Amino acid sequence: MAIVLGANQYGKAEVRLVRVRRDGPRHELRDLTVGIALAGDLAEVHRSGDNAHVLPTDSQKNTVYAFAREHGVDQVEEFGLLLARHFVRSVPAISRARVELTEHGWQRLGPHSFQRDGSEIRTATVTVDADGAVDAADPDGATGGTTVESGISGLVLLNSTDSEFRGYLKDRYTTLPETDDRILATAVEARWRHADVGPTDPGRDWAESYAGVRAALVGAFVETYSRSLQQTLYAMGHRVLAERPEIAQLRLALPNRHHLLVDLAPFGLDNPGEVFVATDRPYGLIEGTVTRTPEDGTAAEDGTAAEDGTAAEDGTAAEDGAPAPDVDPAGDGGPG
Ligand SMILES: O=c1[nH]c(=O)c2[nH]c(=O)[nH]c2[nH]1
């Protein structure tokens, strides 16, 4: 029985980049964490230690900083495409580059003063393979080889009413009381894939798209009378796909940040939905993908539609499926 090298990739993780634009007295700040993973013809370094095909991860890190200086940093998707295309085009052994970007927000306090935003972060994962790295001047009609997935994490939302949970299945272990009025709170973890990003597609308005998706998610959460967080999840995903034609698919992971009504009777007090304990664990975790039905209508309608969780066969780790929620020890959750 032969022993062979399987999937492999390598790169620099968690490159911390802060870019200040000082064109005038009013500075602009971008704060990113960038991860790079390169895959391709890398068998020899694993077998014999021959490094001829290996661009050092140190060089990859330097490229991030150099590109930030040379090209600036505006939209994370754009910066990711720049880097991913660069590695596939310039390193002969590399046939696929995955660049993961996380943007940490800062609010302006003054012309050169900023306050770090709360837990909300914007993300992008850009993957380019050889088809996606064709010469910009001569794309030859190619459209494959590039995927851009944008996302948001840590968007904490709360409705203090218009949420109920009742009529659920009960077995001998069910103790949860039904409720027709509860707090519904979650920290939205969403990832969405942009449709048809071609190999030379430079021209999207990523900022407008991100703002639009975020607004659709928030709008649907706020406006949906919720009978379950599952219903709210689907309403959020549905709103995004209905309003944003550029989005092909969206995955959501919604932790149910349980808020339990405190029993104040021992103190001779009533509690008409006013005093809650926000529990942090365990918490319900509601996950789902919302996608477009193909023209032939073959998509499963029973919630079993493919989730892109299939193993990649190109020597790279599969990374899809519903996004993992931010498991923040300080986060909320609970049994209710
Ligand atoms: O919206 C909810 N969905 C559930 O599946 C569930 N399960 C539970 O205990 N509470 C809730 N709430």
Side-chain angles (χ1 to χ4, degrees), residues 163-165 168 176 182 184 226-231 256 258 284 286 334-336:
S163 166
E164 60 181 56
F165 189 60
Y168 43 80
L176 183 74
R182 65 173 182 176
L184 186 68
S226 177
R227 293 183 170 78
S228 66
L229 189 50
Q230 288 89 329
Q231 181 196 14
N256 193 354
H258 305 290
I286 312 302

Side-chain angles (χ1 to χ4, degrees), residues 122-242:
R122 173 176 169 181
T123 68
T125 298
V126 174
T127 306
V128 171
D129 67 16
D131 280 348
V134 296
D135 187 347
D138 183 22
D140 201 21
T143 56
T146 305
T147 62
V148 176
E149 189 182 70
S150 300
I152 192 166
S153 294
L155 169 62
V156 181
L157 302 174
L158 183 150
N159 284 330
S160 55
T161 189
D162 279 2
S163 166
E164 60 181 56
F165 189 60
R166 52 196 175 126
Y168 43 80
L169 183 72
K170 295 168 192 83
D171 67 9
R172 58 186 292 218
Y173 302 111
T174 302
T175 57
L176 183 74
E178 298 199 339
T179 176
D180 60 4
D181 190 9
R182 65 173 182 176
I183 286 180
L184 186 68
T186 190
V188 176
E189 178 94 11
R191 298 288 180 273
W192 54 92
R193 189 161 46 76
H194 296 265
D196 305 324
V197 181
T200 59
D201 186 338
R204 296 200 179 199
D205 189 343
W206 301 107
E208 192 276 334
S209 177
Y210 180 80
V213 172
R214 187 186 183 286
L217 290 169
V218 172
F221 180 88
V222 169
E223 290 158 24
T224 300
Y225 182 95
S226 177
R227 293 183 170 78
S228 66
L229 189 50
Q230 288 89 329
Q231 181 196 14
T232 296
L233 178 147
Y234 181 64
M236 293 167 78
H238 190 277
R239 173 94 54 115
V240 171
L241 293 194

Side-chain angles (χ1 to χ4, degrees), residues 284-307:
L285 180 58
I286 312 302
E287 302 172 274
T289 300
V290 184
T291 190
R292 296 184 193 281
T293 318
E295 294 302 320
D296 64 4
T298 52
E301 307 224 321
D302 58 359
T304 59
E307 286 214 351

